[in-house]
Amino acid sequence: LSISLNKEKTGLVCKNGSGKTTLLRLLVGELEPTKGKIQRNGNIAYLPQDYQLNLQQTIPEALGVKEKLEALDKVRSENKNQELLEIVGDDWDIESRISKTFEKLKIVGLDFSRPLSSLSGGERTKIVIAKLLISEPEFIILDEPTNNLDHDSRKIIYELIDNWQHGLLVVSHDRNLLNLLDQILELSNGKLRIYGGNYDSYKEQKELEEQAAKRQLVSAEQEL
């Protein structure tokens, strides 16, 4: 396969068993290719299909920022030991990034000490997305993000994709979601093909290809 993904919003469509999960894991570096190479530029955020929320976690734990926030509090209390500084690392602006992300996702008035079990389905979905966005990625990869979500939660995912200004690759069978994208990438028979436009445009192009193939078949049969 040879492909370059940039700032476009791309949908990946394929039949089950075509290798899409393997492809995604290769792209994010969880697997290494046996031949060839993958070059990654910038910060990439990945939400796998089998992502599981621990409902006993508090909001900072689910966001993966609990330790950093606690270390920042201690540093402000004049406890500037090396271990705390290492925990904070380069994330001195983590609080403002959380605040900016919450504002973008319209997350208001949530007590950080609350466990995820006390949140609604839509609020939990927002927390999952917030975790992705806090790292300020230049490219995000989503694997079936609307599976098993209620209407309100799906709407949150649609809004994220619609307003996203950077690169995106999303695997989905959700036609509404796929119609928000700039191009469709088809994985079939071990090959990748790019179709410009959203899912409806892709279906039209596929139908034209199939009609052309049928005409070629009839012509070949007549010739035979």
Side-chain angles (χ1 to χ4, degrees), residues 43-100:
N43 181 16
I44 300 170
Y46 174 45
L47 182 67
Q49 183 179 352
D50 55 2
Y51 181 80
Q52 295 292 325
L53 278 173
N54 178 351
L55 298 182
Q56 305 314 309
Q57 286 185 326
T58 60
I59 292 170
E61 286 172 331
L63 293 172
V65 296
K66 180 175 180 283
E67 272 190 290
K68 287 188 187 291
L69 293 178
E70 287 175 352
L72 267 175
D73 277 343
K74 287 174 184 172
V75 167
R76 287 197 195 102
S77 310
E78 304 302 318
N79 185 356
K80 294 184 173 63
N81 71 50
Q82 188 59 33
E83 188 183 343
L84 290 174
L85 295 174
E86 283 174 9
I87 291 172
V88 176
D90 295 326
D91 291 317
W92 294 97
D93 63 339
I94 187 70
E95 290 171 324
S96 68
R97 276 161 41 205
I98 293 169
S99 175
K100 198 196 305 178

Coordinates of all heavy atoms in Angstrom, one line a residue, residues 43-100:
N43 N 1.6 15.3 16.1 CA 1.0 14.6 17.2 C -0.3 13.9 16.7 O -1.2 14.5 16.2 CB 0.7 15.6 18.3 CG 0.1 15.0 19.5 OD1 0.1 13.7 19.7 ND2 -0.5 15.8 20.4
I44 N -0.3 12.6 16.9 CA -1.5 11.8 16.4 C -2.2 11.2 17.6 O -1.7 10.6 18.5 CB -1.0 10.6 15.5 CG1 -0.3 11.1 14.3 CG2 -2.2 9.8 15.1 CD1 0.4 10.1 13.5
A45 N -3.6 11.4 17.6 CA -4.4 10.9 18.7 C -5.3 9.7 18.1 O -5.7 9.8 17.0 CB -5.3 11.9 19.3
Y46 N -5.4 8.7 18.9 CA -6.1 7.5 18.3 C -7.2 7.0 19.3 O -6.9 6.8 20.5 CB -5.0 6.4 18.1 CG -5.6 5.0 17.7 CD1 -6.5 4.8 16.8 CD2 -5.0 3.8 18.3 CE1 -7.0 3.6 16.4 CE2 -5.5 2.6 18.0 CZ -6.5 2.4 17.0 OH -6.9 1.2 16.6
L47 N -8.4 6.7 18.8 CA -9.4 6.2 19.6 C -9.8 4.8 19.0 O -10.5 4.7 18.0 CB -10.7 7.1 19.6 CG -11.8 6.6 20.5 CD1 -11.5 6.6 22.0 CD2 -13.1 7.4 20.3
P48 N -9.3 3.7 19.6 CA -9.6 2.4 19.1 C -11.1 2.0 19.3 O -11.8 2.5 20.1 CB -8.7 1.4 19.9 CG -8.4 2.1 21.2 CD -8.5 3.6 20.9
Q49 N -11.5 1.0 18.5 CA -13.0 0.6 18.5 C -13.3 0.0 19.9 O -14.4 0.1 20.4 CB -13.2 -0.4 17.4 CG -14.7 -0.9 17.3 CD -14.9 -1.9 16.2 OE1 -14.0 -2.1 15.4 NE2 -16.1 -2.4 16.1
D50 N -12.4 -0.8 20.5 CA -12.6 -1.5 21.7 C -12.3 -0.7 22.9 O -12.1 -1.2 24.0 CB -11.9 -2.8 21.7 CG -10.4 -2.6 21.5 OD1 -9.9 -1.5 21.4 OD2 -9.6 -3.6 21.5
Y51 N -12.3 0.7 22.8 CA -12.0 1.5 23.9 C -13.0 1.3 25.0 O -14.2 1.4 24.8 CB -11.9 3.0 23.5 CG -11.6 4.0 24.6 CD1 -10.3 4.1 24.9 CD2 -12.6 4.7 25.3 CE1 -9.9 5.0 25.9 CE2 -12.2 5.5 26.3 CZ -10.9 5.7 26.6 OH -10.6 6.6 27.6
Q52 N -12.5 1.0 26.2 CA -13.4 0.8 27.4 C -13.2 1.9 28.4 O -12.1 2.1 28.8 CB -13.2 -0.6 28.0 CG -13.5 -1.8 27.1 CD -14.9 -1.9 26.8 OE1 -15.8 -1.7 27.6 NE2 -15.3 -2.3 25.6
L53 N -14.3 2.4 28.9 CA -14.2 3.4 30.0 C -14.3 2.7 31.3 O -15.2 1.8 31.5 CB -15.4 4.4 29.9 CG -15.2 5.6 29.0 CD1 -16.5 6.4 28.9 CD2 -14.1 6.5 29.4
N54 N -13.5 3.0 32.3 CA -13.6 2.5 33.6 C -14.5 3.5 34.4 O -14.2 4.6 34.7 CB -12.2 2.5 34.3 CG -12.3 2.0 35.7 OD1 -13.4 1.9 36.3 ND2 -11.2 1.8 36.3
L55 N -15.8 3.1 34.7 CA -16.8 3.9 35.2 C -16.5 4.3 36.7 O -17.2 5.2 37.2 CB -18.2 3.3 35.1 CG -18.6 3.0 33.7 CD1 -20.1 2.5 33.6 CD2 -18.6 4.3 32.8
Q56 N -15.5 3.7 37.3 CA -15.2 4.0 38.7 C -14.2 5.2 38.7 O -14.0 5.8 39.7 CB -14.6 2.8 39.4 CG -15.4 1.6 39.4 CD -16.9 1.8 39.8 OE1 -17.2 2.5 40.8 NE2 -17.8 1.4 38.9
Q57 N -13.6 5.5 37.6 CA -12.6 6.6 37.5 C -13.3 8.0 37.7 O -14.4 8.2 37.2 CB -11.9 6.6 36.2 CG -10.8 5.5 36.1 CD -10.1 5.6 34.8 OE1 -10.6 6.0 33.7 NE2 -8.8 5.2 34.8
T58 N -12.5 8.9 38.3 CA -13.0 10.3 38.3 C -12.7 10.9 37.0 O -11.9 10.3 36.2 CB -12.3 11.1 39.4 OG1 -10.9 11.0 39.2 CG2 -12.6 10.5 40.8
I59 N -13.2 12.1 36.7 CA -13.0 12.8 35.5 C -11.5 13.0 35.2 O -11.0 12.7 34.1 CB -13.7 14.1 35.4 CG1 -15.2 13.8 35.4 CG2 -13.4 14.9 34.2 CD1 -16.2 15.0 35.6
P60 N -10.6 13.5 36.1 CA -9.2 13.7 35.8 C -8.5 12.4 35.5 O -7.6 12.3 34.7 CB -8.6 14.3 37.1 CG -9.8 14.9 37.8 CD -11.0 14.1 37.4
E61 N -8.9 11.3 36.2 CA -8.3 9.9 35.9 C -8.7 9.5 34.5 O -7.8 9.0 33.8 CB -8.8 8.9 36.9 CG -8.2 9.1 38.3 CD -8.9 8.1 39.3 OE1 -10.1 7.8 39.2 OE2 -8.2 7.7 40.3
A62 N -9.9 9.7 34.1 CA -10.3 9.3 32.7 C -9.6 10.2 31.7 O -9.3 9.7 30.6 CB -11.9 9.5 32.6
L63 N -9.3 11.4 32.0 CA -8.6 12.3 31.1 C -7.1 12.0 31.0 O -6.4 12.5 30.2 CB -8.9 13.8 31.4 CG -10.3 14.3 31.3 CD1 -10.4 15.7 31.9 CD2 -10.7 14.3 29.8
G64 N -6.7 11.2 32.0 CA -5.2 10.9 32.1 C -4.4 12.1 32.6 O -3.2 12.1 32.3
V65 N -5.0 13.0 33.4 CA -4.3 14.2 33.9 C -4.2 14.3 35.4 O -3.8 15.3 35.9 CB -4.9 15.5 33.3 CG1 -4.8 15.5 31.8 CG2 -6.4 15.6 33.7
K66 N -4.7 13.3 36.1 CA -4.8 13.3 37.6 C -3.4 13.6 38.2 O -3.3 14.6 39.0 CB -5.4 12.0 38.1 CG -5.5 12.0 39.6 CD -6.2 10.7 40.1 CE -6.4 10.6 41.6 NZ -5.1 10.3 42.3
E67 N -2.4 12.9 37.8 CA -1.1 13.0 38.4 C -0.5 14.4 38.1 O 0.0 15.1 39.0 CB -0.1 12.0 37.9 CG -0.1 10.7 38.7 CD 1.0 9.8 38.2 OE1 1.0 9.3 37.1 OE2 2.0 9.7 39.0
K68 N -0.7 14.9 36.9 CA -0.2 16.2 36.5 C -0.9 17.3 37.3 O -0.2 18.3 37.8 CB -0.3 16.4 35.0 CG 0.6 15.6 34.2 CD 0.6 16.0 32.7 CE 1.4 15.0 31.9 NZ 2.8 15.1 32.1
L69 N -2.2 17.2 37.5 CA -2.9 18.3 38.2 C -2.5 18.3 39.7 O -2.3 19.4 40.2 CB -4.4 18.1 38.1 CG -5.0 18.3 36.7 CD1 -6.5 18.0 36.7 CD2 -4.8 19.7 36.2
E70 N -2.3 17.1 40.3 CA -1.9 17.0 41.7 C -0.5 17.6 41.8 O -0.2 18.3 42.8 CB -2.0 15.6 42.2 CG -3.4 15.1 42.4 CD -3.5 13.6 42.7 OE1 -2.4 12.9 42.7 OE2 -4.6 13.2 43.1
A71 N 0.4 17.2 40.9 CA 1.8 17.7 40.9 C 1.8 19.3 40.8 O 2.6 19.9 41.5 CB 2.6 17.1 39.8
L72 N 1.0 19.8 39.9 CA 0.9 21.3 39.7 C 0.5 22.0 41.0 O 1.1 23.0 41.4 CB -0.1 21.6 38.6 CG 0.5 21.8 37.2 CD1 -0.6 22.0 36.2 CD2 1.5 22.9 37.2
D73 N -0.5 21.4 41.7 CA -1.0 21.9 43.0 C 0.1 22.0 44.0 O 0.3 22.9 44.7 CB -2.2 21.1 43.5 CG -3.5 21.5 42.9 OD1 -3.5 22.6 42.3 OD2 -4.4 20.7 43.0
K74 N 0.9 20.9 44.1 CA 2.0 20.8 45.1 C 3.1 21.8 44.7 O 3.7 22.4 45.6 CB 2.5 19.3 45.1 CG 1.6 18.4 45.8 CD 2.1 17.0 45.8 CE 1.0 16.0 46.4 NZ 1.4 14.6 46.1
V75 N 3.4 21.9 43.4 CA 4.4 22.8 43.0 C 4.1 24.3 43.4 O 4.9 25.1 43.9 CB 4.7 22.7 41.5 CG1 5.6 23.9 41.0 CG2 5.4 21.4 41.1
R76 N 2.8 24.6 43.3 CA 2.3 25.9 43.6 C 2.4 26.2 45.1 O 2.5 27.3 45.6 CB 0.8 26.1 43.2 CG 0.7 26.3 41.7 CD -0.7 26.8 41.4 NE -1.0 26.7 40.0 CZ -1.8 25.8 39.5 NH1 -2.4 24.9 40.3 NH2 -2.0 25.7 38.2
S77 N 2.4 25.1 45.9 CA 2.6 25.2 47.3 C 4.0 25.2 47.7 O 4.4 24.8 48.8 CB 1.9 24.0 48.0 OG 0.6 23.8 47.6
E78 N 4.9 25.6 46.8 CA 6.3 25.8 47.0 C 7.0 24.4 47.2 O 8.1 24.4 47.7 CB 6.6 26.7 48.3 CG 6.0 28.0 48.2 CD 6.4 28.8 47.0 OE1 7.6 28.8 46.7 OE2 5.6 29.5 46.4
N79 N 6.4 23.3 46.8 CA 7.1 22.0 46.9 C 7.6 21.7 45.6 O 7.1 20.9 44.8 CB 6.0 21.0 47.4 CG 6.7 19.6 47.6 OD1 7.9 19.5 47.4 ND2 5.9 18.7 48.1
K80 N 8.8 22.3 45.2 CA 9.3 22.2 43.9 C 10.4 21.1 43.8 O 11.5 21.3 43.4 CB 9.9 23.5 43.4 CG 8.9 24.6 43.2 CD 9.5 25.9 42.7 CE 8.4 26.9 42.4 NZ 7.6 27.4 43.5
N81 N 10.1 19.9 44.3 CA 11.1 18.8 44.2 C 11.2 18.3 42.7 O 10.2 18.4 42.0 CB 10.9 17.7 45.2 CG 9.7 16.9 44.9 OD1 9.5 16.4 43.8 ND2 8.8 16.7 45.9
Q82 N 12.3 17.6 42.4 CA 12.6 17.2 41.1 C 11.5 16.2 40.5 O 11.1 16.3 39.4 CB 14.0 16.5 41.0 CG 14.5 16.2 39.6 CD 14.5 17.4 38.7 OE1 14.8 18.5 39.2 NE2 14.3 17.2 37.4
E83 N 11.0 15.3 41.4 CA 10.1 14.3 41.0 C 8.8 15.0 40.5 O 8.2 14.6 39.5 CB 9.7 13.4 42.2 CG 8.9 12.2 41.8 CD 8.5 11.3 43.0 OE1 9.1 11.4 44.0 OE2 7.6 10.5 42.8
L84 N 8.3 16.0 41.2 CA 7.1 16.7 40.8 C 7.3 17.4 39.5 O 6.4 17.4 38.6 CB 6.7 17.7 41.9 CG 6.1 17.1 43.2 CD1 5.9 18.2 44.2 CD2 4.8 16.3 43.0
L85 N 8.4 18.1 39.3 CA 8.7 18.8 38.1 C 8.8 17.8 36.9 O 8.3 18.1 35.8 CB 10.1 19.5 38.2 CG 10.1 20.7 39.2 CD1 11.5 21.2 39.3 CD2 9.1 21.8 38.9
E86 N 9.3 16.6 37.1 CA 9.3 15.6 36.0 C 7.9 15.1 35.7 O 7.6 14.9 34.5 CB 10.1 14.4 36.5 CG 11.6 14.7 36.4 CD 12.5 13.5 37.0 OE1 11.9 12.5 37.3 OE2 13.7 13.7 37.1
I87 N 7.0 15.0 36.7 CA 5.6 14.6 36.4 C 4.9 15.7 35.6 O 4.2 15.4 34.6 CB 4.8 14.4 37.7 CG1 5.3 13.2 38.5 CG2 3.3 14.2 37.5 CD1 4.8 13.0 39.9
V88 N 5.1 17.0 35.9 CA 4.5 18.0 35.1 C 5.1 18.1 33.7 O 4.4 18.3 32.7 CB 4.7 19.4 35.8 CG1 4.1 20.5 35.0 CG2 4.0 19.4 37.2
G89 N 6.4 17.9 33.6 CA 7.1 17.9 32.3 C 6.9 19.2 31.6 O 7.1 20.3 32.2
D90 N 6.4 19.1 30.3 CA 6.2 20.4 29.6 C 4.7 20.8 29.6 O 4.3 21.7 28.9 CB 6.5 20.1 28.1 CG 8.0 19.9 27.9 OD1 8.8 20.4 28.6 OD2 8.4 19.0 27.0
D91 N 3.9 20.2 30.5 CA 2.5 20.5 30.6 C 2.1 21.5 31.6 O 1.1 21.3 32.3 CB 1.7 19.1 30.8 CG 1.8 18.2 29.6 OD1 1.7 18.7 28.5 OD2 2.1 17.0 29.8
W92 N 2.8 22.6 31.7 CA 2.5 23.7 32.6 C 1.1 24.3 32.3 O 0.5 24.9 33.1 CB 3.6 24.7 32.7 CG 4.9 24.1 33.2 CD1 5.9 23.7 32.5 CD2 5.2 23.9 34.6 NE1 6.9 23.2 33.4 CE2 6.5 23.3 34.7 CE3 4.5 24.2 35.8 CZ2 7.1 23.0 35.9 CZ3 5.1 23.9 37.0 CH2 6.4 23.3 37.0
D93 N 0.7 24.2 31.0 CA -0.5 24.8 30.6 C -1.7 23.8 30.6 O -2.7 24.1 29.9 CB -0.4 25.4 29.2 CG -0.1 24.3 28.1 OD1 0.4 23.2 28.5 OD2 -0.3 24.6 26.9
I94 N -1.5 22.7 31.2 CA -2.5 21.6 31.1 C -3.9 22.1 31.6 O -4.9 21.7 31.0 CB -2.1 20.3 31.9 CG1 -3.0 19.2 31.7 CG2 -2.0 20.6 33.4 CD1 -3.0 18.6 30.3
E95 N -4.0 22.9 32.6 CA -5.3 23.4 33.1 C -6.0 24.3 32.1 O -7.2 24.1 31.8 CB -5.1 24.2 34.4 CG -4.7 23.3 35.6 CD -4.3 24.1 36.8 OE1 -3.7 25.2 36.7 OE2 -4.6 23.6 37.9
S96 N -5.2 25.1 31.4 CA -5.9 26.0 30.4 C -6.3 25.2 29.2 O -7.3 25.4 28.5 CB -5.0 27.1 30.0 OG -3.8 26.7 29.3
R97 N -5.5 24.1 28.9 CA -5.9 23.2 27.7 C -7.2 22.5 28.1 O -8.0 22.3 27.2 CB -4.8 22.3 27.4 CG -3.7 22.9 26.5 CD -2.4 22.2 26.5 NE -2.4 20.8 26.5 CZ -1.4 20.1 27.0 NH1 -0.3 20.6 27.5 NH2 -1.5 18.7 27.0
I98 N -7.3 22.0 29.3 CA -8.5 21.3 29.7 C -9.7 22.3 29.6 O -10.8 22.0 29.1 CB -8.4 20.8 31.2 CG1 -7.4 19.6 31.2 CG2 -9.8 20.3 31.7 CD1 -7.0 19.2 32.6
S99 N -9.5 23.5 30.1 CA -10.6 24.5 30.1 C -11.0 24.8 28.7 O -12.2 24.9 28.4 CB -10.0 25.7 30.9 OG -11.0 26.8 30.8
K100 N -10.0 25.0 27.8 CA -10.3 25.4 26.4 C -11.1 24.2 25.7 O -12.0 24.4 25.0 CB -9.0 25.6 25.7 CG -9.1 26.4 24.4 CD -7.9 26.2 23.5 CE -6.6 26.7 24.2 NZ -5.4 26.5 23.3

